[in-house]
Amino acid sequence: MFLGALSLAIVGLTLAGCEQKILATKELRAVGPLRIGVGNTPDPPGTGDNRLRVEVRNAEGEPLRGAAVDVVVSMAAMGTMPYMESRGKVREVRPGVYEARYGLSMIGEWDVDLAIHPREGAPVTAAYRLSTSVRGLAFVGGSAAGDSAAMPAAGDSVVAVGGAVVLSAERRQEFGVRTVAVTMRDLSRSVRASGRIAFDERRQGEITTKFGGYVRDLRVDFVGRPVRRGEVLFTAYSPELWSAQQEYLEAVRVARADTIPGLSATSRELAEAARRRLQLWDLSDSQIDAIAQRGRPLEAVPILAFLGGVVVEKNVVRGSAFQAGQMLYRIAATDPIWIIASVFQGDLPSIRVGTRARVLDPYLDERSRLGRVMFVPPAFESQTRTADVRIEVPNPRGELRPGAFVDVELDVSLGPKLAVERSAVIPTGERHVVFVDRGGGRLEPRQVRLGQRAGDYVEVLDGLVVGDVVVTSGNFLVAAESRLRSATQRR
């Protein structure tokens, strides 16, 4: 029994020693007022679960007890590969020694970011590089809050965690780095579309008659001829209209001659009924009065235009016979005119009735005209995936001619949005990245989700908040420096 217990004790001590050896930290390095050492199990790390041991001592060499330690293991986005991150679950295993359990989703080079928050004093950060093919962790840099000694020397640059880069003031000036704070802006953008000129469908009319007859004198005799409201289009002879005029004249004669009180009222009612019949056949009051004054019917009754515009269709010639209800002319007004703008699917949601529009015709001396959207269709054209937005534009001189093509610019207001300059955004395949100035010369890449573009600005839906300071000039050089230094340090 004694020998068995002794054997078990020896095995236990051996395993404990192996465990301590596996998790032993590397040499302690001074970072700010602290001394920090790190070690990983397994070493080198592999995909799946891993353990990182962090040993922290104060300036006197004593273990730093009860600190809050954050461990973030990350890999920057590259091409179509997304940004990956694993946050360690940290516990203090013995005084001044902290163990973080984390996972790696793939082999490769990873950034390890430590943040140590003592119970008293300023927090300290340290950055390392971790490789699944190389033993140990490579120290990259670190500093305490407000530690100017951790700034790189003039002309130097240091890569920090996640592809971040720390640049000296001289290096920033050399790169031409310019930063701007992120704010809310009233954004507006211009939607460009191709448009064609068309007649206003609300200001068109057909000339018909309510009686049949024959064309005698054709005054408006070709398509495209401008006409005025009330102008004579043609004169017509109609047997029906001739009989109706005779009946009206006879009723008027009887009403004037009848002096018997009871019968005179009836005669006047018959004359009014005959007059009303002529009015319903679209004869004007002046024409009917002229007939009564002449005392005989009109053989050639003038047919008038009830609206002004241009003739777009004509179905009669001199001598033509026509029936009641037959379309003889179609007339369309030219002022105002419609612009039918073909708007793509992605631009249509921001367009509303009343949106301002500029119509550009390169062939006119007057380079642009202003109009407003008066109709947004509820459906798209299935073949072109565009919607025909109707814009009403004044056309007093008739220079905008239906059938012609013009360019259209729609001024779309997006309202207040969180936005950055477009120059601040670096496209990386399917994703977009900006560099955020974290102070102390540290420029950190951050993935953002973008919304609508408006001129020199772009809406930010996720990734930034008001007050963040982003790089708007020199950011491509910063990104190149980050990748270059990162590759050098991996070697």
Side-chain angles (χ1 to χ4, degrees), residues 27 35 317 361 382 407 442:
E27 60 178 313
R35 298 182 62 82
V317 295
D361 190 340
S382 58
D407 297 324
R442 180 186 174 97

Side-chain angles (χ1 to χ4, degrees), residues 2 24 38-39 85 94 233 246 263 269 272 400 409 441 450:
F2 175 75
V38 294
E85 179 182 277
R94 66 171 185 262
L233 301 173
Q246 286 282 32
L263 295 177
E269 290 176 0
E272 287 297 327
L400 296 178
E409 291 183 357
L450 304 180

Side-chain angles (χ1 to χ4, degrees), residues 81-385:
M81 187 181 72
Y83 170 80
M84 291 177 285
E85 179 182 277
S86 176
R87 292 184 174 271
K89 295 182 179 179
V90 182
R91 64 187 181 93
E92 187 172 4
V93 294
R94 66 171 185 262
V97 179
Y98 303 85
E99 182 183 271
R101 293 180 177 269
Y102 67 96
L104 297 183
S105 57
M106 62 180 292
I107 62 174
E109 308 293 322
W110 293 80
D111 297 301
V112 179
D113 194 9
L114 302 182
I116 301 171
H117 304 267
R119 291 178 178 177
E120 298 179 357
V124 172
T125 62
Y128 299 84
R129 291 290 293 180
L130 181 70
S131 173
T132 57
S133 59
V134 179
R135 294 176 62 87
L137 287 84
F139 179 75
V140 174
S143 68
D147 186 3
S148 59
M151 285 291 295
D156 289 345
S157 60
V158 176
V159 173
V161 65
V165 61
V166 182
L167 298 179
S168 65
E170 290 80 3
R171 197 69 165 163
R172 288 168 68 104
Q173 184 176 5
E174 180 182 343
F175 284 179
V177 173
R178 183 173 63 88
T179 59
V180 173
V182 179
T183 60
M184 299 292 291
R185 293 179 178 273
D186 287 325
L187 297 184
S188 63
R189 66 189 184 101
S190 180
V191 174
R192 294 179 178 270
S194 175
R196 56 182 174 84
I197 305 174
F199 290 111
D200 188 339
E201 295 178 4
R202 302 167 301 174
R203 293 176 172 84
Q204 297 186 28
E206 293 183 354
I207 303 299
T208 62
T209 61
K210 298 180 176 64
F211 52 84
Y214 304 88
V215 176
R216 283 199 169 179
D217 183 18
L218 190 65
R219 306 282 182 85
V220 177
D221 53 0
F222 62 90
V223 173
R225 183 184 184 282
V227 296
R228 301 181 307 276
R229 178 185 177 91
E231 183 177 352
V232 177
L233 301 173
F234 66 94
T235 60
Y237 166 71
S238 170
E240 296 176 78
L241 189 57
W242 175 273
S243 298
Q245 293 179 75
Q246 286 282 32
E247 292 176 6
Y248 171 66
L249 291 173
E250 184 64 23
V252 170
R253 186 187 63 79
V254 171
R256 289 174 180 174
D258 201 343
T259 57
I260 302 175
L263 295 177
S264 62
T266 303
S267 298
R268 286 195 299 273
E269 290 176 0
L270 291 175
E272 287 297 327
R275 182 183 181 91
R276 181 58 181 162
R277 184 183 182 187
L278 294 177
Q279 290 174 337
L280 293 175
W281 277 359
D282 295 332
L283 268 66
S284 65
D285 290 336
S286 59
Q287 288 177 316
I288 297 173
D289 292 339
I291 293 171
Q293 186 175 359
R294 284 168 47 117
R296 62 178 186 275
L298 293 174
E299 293 184 9
V301 178
I303 306 301
L304 310 179
F306 64 86
L307 79 162
V310 296
V311 176
V312 296
E313 190 173 349
K314 180 179 75 72
N315 294 322
V316 293
V317 295
R318 187 173 287 105
S320 293
F322 57 87
Q323 302 295 326
Q326 177 184 343
M327 195 272 285
L328 307 177
Y329 290 89
R330 184 188 297 274
I331 299 174
T334 58
D335 182 31
I337 205 78
W338 275 1
I339 307 296
I340 309 299
S342 298
V343 178
F344 288 104
Q345 182 175 350
D347 296 324
L348 191 68
S350 57
I351 297 175
R352 302 285 186 270
V353 173
T355 298
R356 285 187 52 187
R358 287 188 302 276
V359 178
L360 309 174
D361 190 340
Y363 301 102
L364 292 179
D365 293 336
E366 188 177 348
R367 299 293 293 178
S368 65
R369 296 166 184 255
L370 295 180
R372 291 195 178 274
V373 173
M374 49 79 57
F375 177 72
V376 178
F380 289 92
E381 294 289 338
S382 58
Q383 294 182 345
T384 62
R385 302 308 300 164

